[in-house]
Amino acid sequence: MKTFKHGGVHPEENKLSAGAAIEILPVPEHVSIPVSQSLGAPSKVVVEKGASVKTGQLLAKGSAFISSNVHSSVSGKITRIDEVTDTSGYRRPAVIIEVIGDEWEEGIDRSPEIVSDIRLSREEIIQKLNEMGIVGLGGATFPSHVKLMIPEGKKAEYLLINGVECEPYLTSDHRLMLERGREMMIGVTILMKGLNVGKAWIGIERNKPDAIAHLENLCKEFPGIQVVPLKVKYPQGGEKQLIKAVTGREVPSGKLPVEVGCVVNNVGTALAVYEAVQKNKPLIERVVTVTGKSLKKPNNLLVRIGTPVNKLIEFAGGLPEDTGKVINGGPMMGKALSSLEVPVTKGTSGIVVMTQKESRRTSVINCIRCARCISVCPMGLEPVLLAQLSENQLFEEAEKEKILDCMECGSCHYTCPAGRPLLDYLRLGKNKVGVIIRNRGTK
Amino acid sequence: MSLLTVSGSPHIHGHQSVKSIMYGVVVAMIPAIFVSVYFFGLDAARVIFISIAACLFFEWIIQKYLLKGPLTINDGSALVTGVLLAFNVPSNLPAWMIIVGALVSIGIAKMSFGGLGKNPFNPALIGRVFLLISFPVQMTSWPLPKALFDSSVTDAITGPTTLGILKEGLNAGKSVQELITSPGFPGYLNDLVGAQGGSLGEISAIALLLGAVYMFFRKIITWHIPVGYIGSAVIFSGILWMVDPSKYIDPAMHLMAGGMILGVFFMATDMVSTPMSPKGQIVFGIGAGLLTIIIRVWGAYPEGVSFAILIMNAFTPLINKGFKPRRFGEVLSKK
Amino acid sequence: MNETLVYAVISLSAIGVISAIILYFVAQKFKVIEDPRIDIVADLLPGANCGGCGLAGCRAFAEEVVKREDLSKLNCPVSGTEATKQIAAAMGLEAPEKDPMIAVVRCNGSRVNAPQKVIYDSAASCSFAHALSAGESGCPNGCLGLGDCVVSCKFDAIYIDEITGLPVISDELCVACGTCVTACPRSIIELRLKGKKDRRIYISCINTEKGGPAKKNCSVACIGCGKCMKECPYEAITLVNNLAYIDFNKCRLCRKCEPVCPTGSILETNFPARKEKPGDTEKIPVSSEA
């Protein structure tokens, strides 16, 4: 069975909500839509306080090459343009809208009909994705239109669709493949056209046999698309790991996947691409898994961007008494939230609620040099060494040991028997090395 | 609701802890403990008990009064050292020597470097080698095995180990064949189950292998060091044996006699003092295997496992520097 | 017997002589000609290699001193005026005049003033905590209390107060080398004039948020109301980004600003107690609107 070779762990899957069909979360009374929801430069607000907006109206415009548009997910009145605490734990600019009705912008096709003819040309597709604010929904939120623009001198050969969902607990992609498979496949076809490639692979881990079977069936109707079942192993959803698992190619250190002719997109992104191109619908809602062992009703919700996290938890049966931590994203790579008022953004793939007991880290003792971190590191790094170097501020040394290759998958900390916060120090080191390199550039 | 916790990812943790690893190693040594008690009687139990008690005591007292850190005797590492030290001495060793050995193991080889995880050498082996050099007579007079409730032999009889017999015999000019067939030589089967003279833990290859299988199953050890070690020892001794079977012992005998199995699975796999990358571990194993055979064949001592492992321990930092794991995307970026 | 002794002595002496000759030539060959004044200057320096001068240690500083003709641009923050004068005298140059400085922690968000809102459970590093989230109190500019400055200080001048959770800098031990200033990921620590009798007045807050959010997280935050600025007779106080700042070069320590601050974010150190005057202690309540 196919998988990536180096490292990896297999945490308990805990896919509690795998059987729960996607439900639509009612529109809340207020939303706060962060102005910057993608990697790259912050977007520029184009609306004013007090203005009325419709669902799907442009709120902020991408301001640079790597930047993306943000649209209103509801209709109503803009009460404030202010800073609110977002997933980063800091206060960032956002547009706060008081919801009045649900009036959509004209031109958005809201009918359930599936449109399979692709009328737009390659350039028009890229233009459309830019306009509709489509970003990678796997969590990294990289603007999708930029991904389709292959740098000069490079050529994309394959499109890889990430349906791996290797994070424990999360099931949003799984449900999406089952319930919106056909639309997603059209999205994949659009992406193939946008990239000008003839072959697309959908990587899915073996723990989702129903999704594999469903999509394999659909593949018969869509030429050039093929499902690749993969062995269950974390972090297979990492771009470089997925490429290695599916094609056997290895992306060189510090380079982008296009170096080996691959472009990776998430299944959720493929669906958003379908909706943007065929239905003219901006990215204003996404599927979010709301889960946790203590939660009454773990489920998958279709949520408008900007909805506060506590609304989602309420819908899933309310916040349990002994909650110790709420994570935005999966338990391996997600961010712990400091407030439940934080809005859902384009990058929110799941909300995981953990009990007090689950949320405290194990006590830290001396490293016993068992080297488990080295054997699980998917990038072939030595986390123990890198953590030591950054703890002792030897950042230049750490750079030589390829600290920047770290993808922050967390396998090292997960597996460390001494409970050492390896990834914390790796992150610290990565930050500092980044600063050193930037300073070098300015000199 | 109480306060939310904010911490960096990952938010879940694997099930293995240092404690579970250490106690796993102890569980893996239980078969060998039983075999030693069976063959050496309550003397063996006495040695093991004293060794464990002394190791735990020294760990506790040093941590409490000298290092003044949090107490670490619960983590199981001192327990492992205690059992391993007992495994490495003869069953008739006086109690005070065991205690001295434990003091050297825990106090000098481990705690003086800062405790768990900081020691460059395997503590139990340092203790054993210290005792071997300081008290050569007591450390090399091995009680011959007798079944636990066998009352036909009343006095404890001491005799040489399998390797001791061979070494002495070869030095005296006899051939291997002559020695193997001579009366009193334990033979392959006895080496396998443990009916041979020797240190407590090294006599029974079967019991040790059982423990090793358990450790593999629990993912406490990886294959790299044992395979490298046994592979290089078998190949090297095999070459010598093929050159002259009358002068050199065959590989199977090398494997089963003496402390090879104990060393390979329980001491060369000690995480703290061995290299970290898989490649480095294989190199470590190969080096230790070669050194073991070289010491056994040409050295003054009949047994070379402890010295071989300690010498390779000394090379560990160098191996760690020289044999890095292969970075993802490394080869391609050079093109 | 005697013969052996004699041979041993002769051979050993011969080896000694030959080695000495080899060593002599090697020493000649690899001789480094160094300005002897470097050693003199280096002896006068503190030798802590703190890097406060911006050079790689005290030796590098000494080499630089010898090269220069003007010492005004070179500054060893650790050496006192006395030591600097001695160095200048040794070089036959004029000592630059400078007033002693000290590191000052500009955050008063103690556990009482800025109560805990979340539990931080990760590596004990301010830099990491800063990258992770706003911190336990929720203040995006406040002290995280994990002690990056304590670790960076080579003079043991900083410790974290157990009760407040904030760093305390010792007036006696701090040499104003500035390593803590760079170590702090939030730039809370600033080098300020030490002041006569260690008297200093400064705004103990660097929060640039608007009044409302700032006050929500911390009761002693500067809310940028500008009262102190209006009160200052020397124009030493400026207000940028909702944050007041006292220029220590202009401040004459008149103490007029401290009583008018509605949140008490202005701190005075080592001043005698104020005489009670009615009206002075009355604090104007702050509106919490953003």
Side-chain angles (χ1 to χ4, degrees):
Chain A
M1 206 184 301
K2 280 189 171 176
T3 187
F4 61 99
K5 215 174 92 192
H6 209 303
V9 290
H10 187 190
E12 270 176 55
E13 289 166 27
N14 285 322
K15 304 268 190 189
L16 307 170
S17 50
I22 299 172
E23 288 179 76
I24 297 169
L25 184 79
V27 182
E29 302 95 65
H30 288 274
V31 292
S32 35
I33 301 172
V35 171
S36 284
Q37 292 192 40
S38 69
L39 273 182
S43 313
K44 232 177 102 198
V45 183
V46 293
V47 287
E48 268 164 29
K49 183 181 164 180
S52 291
V53 289
K54 288 180 185 169
T55 309
Q57 192 179 327
L58 187 69
L59 292 182
K61 214 171 157 34
S63 59
F65 180 61
I66 301 180
S67 187
S68 72
N69 290 349
V70 175
H71 300 81
S72 175
S73 61
V74 293
S75 66
K77 203 171 138 221
I78 296 175
T79 49
R80 278 187 297 144
I81 297 176
D82 196 6
E83 294 183 331
V84 298
T85 308
D86 71 0
T87 44
S88 70
Y90 285 95
R91 292 162 56 81
R92 300 268 159 82
V95 179
I96 295 117
I97 305 170
E98 192 193 334
V99 178
I100 305 164
D102 193 17
E103 195 186 329
W104 286 57
E105 190 85 310
E106 276 174 34
I108 301 176
D109 178 5
R110 295 183 67 196
S111 68
E113 241 167 78
I114 292 175
V115 189
S116 37
D117 284 356
I118 303 163
R119 284 188 213 92
L120 302 189
S121 69
R122 179 165 180 248
E123 284 67 34
E124 283 169 326
I125 289 171
I126 294 173
Q127 178 60 33
K128 198 76 183 173
L129 297 186
N130 185 6
E131 209 177 285
M132 294 297 163
I134 309 298
V135 300
L137 295 184
T141 63
F142 190 80
S144 296
H145 67 278
V146 182
K147 247 187 194 173
L148 294 190
M149 293 190 246
I150 304 298
E152 206 128 322
K154 301 273 171 350
K155 198 184 165 322
E157 292 169 60
Y158 306 113
L159 171 66
L160 270 68
I161 299 296
N162 183 352
V164 171
E165 203 154 53
C166 56
E167 277 269 8
Y169 288 94
L170 301 192
T171 56
S172 53
D173 287 353
H174 182 189
R175 290 313 303 179
L176 200 138
M177 285 189 281
L178 278 180
E179 294 174 37
R180 314 283 297 270
R182 183 173 293 274
E183 288 145 285
M184 191 211 93
M185 292 297 257
I186 300 169
V188 175
T189 316
I190 297 168
L191 284 170
M192 282 163 73
K193 191 169 178 188
L195 282 168
N196 203 10
V197 298
K199 183 85 202 158
W201 276 308
I202 306 178
I204 307 174
E205 284 190 349
R206 283 275 164 120
N207 57 358
K208 295 178 265 291
D210 45 353
I212 295 175
H214 181 59
L215 292 190
E216 264 172 355
N217 249 340
L218 284 171
C219 276
K220 289 170 197 156
E221 299 167 39
F222 293 91
I225 307 179
Q226 196 187 333
V227 173
V228 185
L230 299 167
K231 193 180 161 190
V232 181
K233 193 154 117 184
Y234 177 88
Q236 197 140 238
E239 230 173 20
K240 293 181 175 181
Q241 273 62 39
L242 185 67
I243 293 170
K244 177 83 186 174
V246 174
T247 67
R249 300 182 182 186
E250 208 166 296
V251 182
S253 161
K255 295 279 167 56
L256 292 172
V258 77
E259 195 77 15
V260 292
C262 296
V263 173
V264 184
N265 270 296
N266 181 266
V267 286
T269 318
L271 180 67
V273 165
Y274 162 81
E275 289 187 324
V277 173
Q278 306 292 77
K279 300 276 200 174
N280 212 20
K281 183 180 152 197
L283 184 49
I284 55 163
E285 54 188 7
R286 67 159 298 152
V287 182
V288 178
T289 303
V290 186
T291 181
K293 282 180 186 160
S294 56
L295 219 50
K296 273 199 201 100
K297 211 178 84 186
N299 52 15
N300 302 292
L301 302 172
L302 186 66
V303 183
R304 301 283 175 100
I305 302 293
T307 309
V309 164
N310 52 16
K311 294 279 171 202
L312 277 68
I313 296 173
E314 252 169 55
F315 194 83
L319 193 72
E321 194 53 38
D322 68 335
T323 300
K325 195 188 265 182
V326 178
I327 305 160
N328 174 55
M332 289 300 282
M333 286 185 83
K335 274 202 86 142
L337 295 176
S338 51
S339 148
L340 296 181
E341 298 292 323
V342 166
V344 167
T345 62
K346 292 177 183 177
T348 308
S349 49
I351 300 292
V352 183
V353 175
M354 298 200 125
T355 62
Q356 302 237 316
K357 202 167 152 246
E358 287 171 307
S359 56
R360 294 317 292 264
R361 287 184 169 183
T362 50
S363 54
V364 176
I365 60 169
N366 285 355
C367 168
I368 55 165
R369 294 193 267 182
C370 65
R372 278 167 176 64
C373 54
I374 294 175
S375 57
V376 299
C377 180
M379 300 308 289
L381 306 174
E382 293 166 280
V384 54
L385 174 70
L386 294 171
Q388 258 170 23
L389 290 175
S390 26
E391 205 174 343
N392 296 319
Q393 323 242 329
L394 299 166
F395 299 117
E396 255 138 60
E397 207 46 31
E399 189 196 345
K400 277 184 212 139
E401 297 290 346
K402 303 259 181 197
I403 194 168
L404 291 182
D405 277 0
C406 169
M407 55 186 272
E408 305 185 11
C409 69
S411 301
C412 49
H413 185 177
Y414 170 83
T415 198
C416 179
R420 300 188 72 76
L422 295 167
L423 183 53
D424 290 3
Y425 283 110
L426 278 166
R427 281 221 180 89
L428 173 69
K430 278 180 75 177
N431 275 347
K432 299 269 175 168
V433 170
V435 171
I436 291 173
I437 289 175
R438 271 198 294 282
N439 287 346
R440 220 177 274 155
T442 55
K443 256 176 207 165
Chain B
M1 197 195 78
S2 54
L3 298 178
L4 289 177
T5 303
V6 174
S7 58
S9 66
H11 305 288
I12 47 176
H13 197 270
H15 299 297
Q16 224 171 34
S17 68
V18 169
K19 238 181 178 169
S20 75
I21 290 174
M22 291 299 172
Y23 287 110
V25 175
V26 174
V27 169
M29 290 190 288
I30 286 175
I33 293 177
F34 278 126
V35 170
S36 69
V37 173
Y38 179 79
F39 282 114
F40 296 125
L42 291 174
D43 259 358
R46 175 191 67 100
V47 170
I48 293 171
F49 176 77
I50 294 173
S51 173
I52 292 174
C55 281
L56 288 175
F57 173 74
F58 287 127
E59 170 112 359
W60 172 76
I61 203 157
I62 292 172
Q63 192 73 25
K64 181 150 189 181
Y65 293 105
L66 290 175
L67 294 182
K68 296 195 170 70
L71 282 186
T72 51
I73 52 167
N74 290 333
D75 64 27
S77 62
L79 186 61
V80 171
T81 304
V83 180
L84 277 178
L85 180 67
F87 272 15
N88 271 303
V89 297
S91 62
N92 60 352
L93 200 69
W96 68 271
M97 281 188 197
I98 305 170
I99 293 170
V100 169
L103 179 62
V104 172
S105 291
I106 295 291
I108 294 174
K110 182 176 169 197
M111 300 311 268
S112 65
F113 290 99
L116 177 65
K118 309 277 174 71
N119 47 300
F121 298 101
N122 187 324
L125 280 180
I126 292 280
R128 175 202 143 89
V129 167
F130 174 81
L131 289 176
L132 185 65
I133 293 169
S134 311
F135 315 108
V137 178
Q138 289 89 336
M139 278 296 284
T140 50
S141 56
W142 319 94
L144 285 180
K146 60 178 176 95
L148 183 53
F149 305 108
D150 184 1
S151 54
S152 62
V153 189
T154 44
D155 295 326
I157 297 169
T158 58
T161 60
T162 311
L163 287 173
I165 297 170
L166 289 165
K167 185 107 202 170
E168 244 171 66
L170 287 171
N171 284 346
K174 289 181 193 160
S175 77
V176 173
Q177 285 86 349
E178 247 178 275
L179 292 164
I180 285 181
T181 48
S182 66
F185 189 81
Y188 292 102
L189 186 67
N190 284 339
D191 280 354
L192 205 60
V193 293
Q196 59 172 329
S199 299
L200 283 189
E202 68 184 25
I203 48 171
S204 168
I206 286 263
L208 291 166
L209 284 174
L210 207 64
V213 168
Y214 173 78
M215 288 202 290
F216 276 118
F217 182 71
R218 288 272 314 270
K219 293 191 177 154
I220 292 171
I221 57 174
T222 56
W223 59 267
H224 304 87
I225 290 178
V227 167
Y229 200 145
I230 292 177
S232 78
V234 165
I235 291 171
F236 188 47
S237 62
I239 291 170
L240 290 176
W241 177 64
M242 280 192 279
V243 169
D244 188 353
S246 65
K247 266 175 82 182
Y248 301 108
I249 313 163
D250 64 292
M253 182 60 79
H254 263 301
L255 267 188
M256 284 183 296
M260 181 82 105
I261 301 289
L262 177 68
V264 166
F265 291 103
F266 289 88
M267 285 180 302
T269 54
D270 168 45
M271 295 149 182
V272 178
S273 52
T274 54
M276 315 241 290
S277 75
K279 264 188 268 175
Q281 289 176 354
I282 292 173
V283 170
F284 178 93
I286 291 172
L290 281 179
L291 281 173
T292 304
I293 301 300
I294 288 173
I295 296 172
R296 278 187 180 179
V297 173
W298 290 292
Y301 286 96
E303 176 58 298
V305 174
S306 350
F307 289 108
I309 294 175
L310 285 177
I311 291 168
M312 288 315 287
N313 281 166
F315 279 107
T316 294
L318 208 61
I319 296 173
N320 272 339
K321 265 215 140 62
F323 295 87
K324 301 261 175 196
R326 198 186 84 86
R327 313 278 192 235
F328 188 95
E330 177 192 48
V331 182
L332 292 152
S333 65
K334 276 182 190 161
K335 275 181 194 170
Chain C
M1 185 70 190
N2 255 343
E3 223 166 72
T4 341
L5 204 72
V6 169
Y7 279 131
V9 167
I10 289 173
S11 55
L12 268 179
S13 316
I15 291 169
V17 168
I18 293 165
S19 306
I21 293 167
I22 292 170
L23 269 178
Y24 172 78
F25 281 108
V26 171
Q28 284 299 314
K29 175 120 177 122
F30 294 102
K31 194 171 185 181
V32 180
I33 298 157
E34 208 178 37
D35 195 326
R37 291 180 301 171
I38 292 175
D39 282 328
I40 300 169
V41 176
D43 282 345
L44 290 167
L45 288 168
N49 294 323
C50 67
C53 54
L55 294 163
C58 294
R59 186 87 196 168
F61 183 80
E63 283 166 16
E64 203 60 30
V65 166
V66 173
K67 269 186 227 156
R68 303 258 180 118
E69 287 181 354
D70 175 20
L71 291 185
S72 60
K73 285 206 181 113
L74 271 179
N75 176 29
C76 170
V78 184
S79 305
T81 329
E82 220 25 64
T84 315
K85 271 185 188 151
Q86 279 178 9
I87 293 169
M91 300 297 301
L93 296 169
E94 214 167 291
E97 278 299 319
K98 59 162 188 173
D99 294 317
M101 309 281 277
I102 191 168
V104 170
V105 179
R106 290 181 297 163
C107 175
N108 200 11
S110 64
R111 297 208 173 107
V112 178
N113 293 337
Q116 188 178 27
K117 293 198 182 58
V118 293
I119 302 160
Y120 174 77
D121 183 25
S122 275
S125 152
C126 301
S127 297
F128 177 74
H130 174 66
L132 186 70
S133 84
E136 292 199 324
S137 73
C139 175
N141 301 102
C143 177
L144 294 156
L146 296 165
D148 276 12
C149 50
V150 177
V151 176
S152 78
C153 185
K154 294 196 173 62
F155 301 92
D156 284 337
I158 313 178
Y159 67 93
I160 300 282
D161 190 301
E162 299 259 317
I163 298 157
T164 62
L166 294 170
V168 179
I169 297 175
S170 151
D171 283 348
E172 289 80 41
L173 295 172
C174 177
V175 296
C177 65
T179 36
C180 53
V181 175
T182 38
C184 178
R186 292 187 160 175
S187 307
I188 292 166
I189 305 178
E190 186 198 13
L191 290 185
R192 294 181 71 91
L193 274 185
K194 199 163 189 206
K196 271 187 192 137
K197 293 185 189 167
D198 286 330
R199 285 175 181 176
R200 294 178 289 275
I201 299 175
Y202 59 96
I203 311 237
S204 188
C205 181
I206 57 156
N207 189 309
T208 52
E209 288 177 310
K210 284 179 197 156
K215 194 77 172 114
K216 211 170 130 195
N217 288 329
C218 179
S219 64
V220 293
C222 172
I223 52 169
C225 66
K227 286 208 173 71
C228 51
M229 189 171 72
K230 283 171 206 140
E231 197 68 26
C232 182
Y234 307 106
E235 295 183 340
I237 304 181
T238 47
L239 187 67
V240 182
N241 275 337
N242 310 310
L243 175 68
Y245 175 77
I246 303 178
D247 185 339
F248 50 82
N249 284 319
K250 288 183 186 160
C251 175
R252 307 264 195 94
L253 304 176
C254 70
R255 302 177 75 189
K256 280 193 176 134
C257 51
E258 194 268 347
V260 302
C261 180
T263 58
S265 65
I266 301 179
L267 286 193
E268 302 179 332
T269 56
N270 304 312
F271 280 94
R274 231 173 247 275
K275 276 172 205 153
E276 282 285 327
K277 253 194 257 172
D280 257 15
T281 47
E282 231 177 76
K283 300 252 161 109
I284 301 107
V286 62
S287 72
S288 60
E289 206 176 309

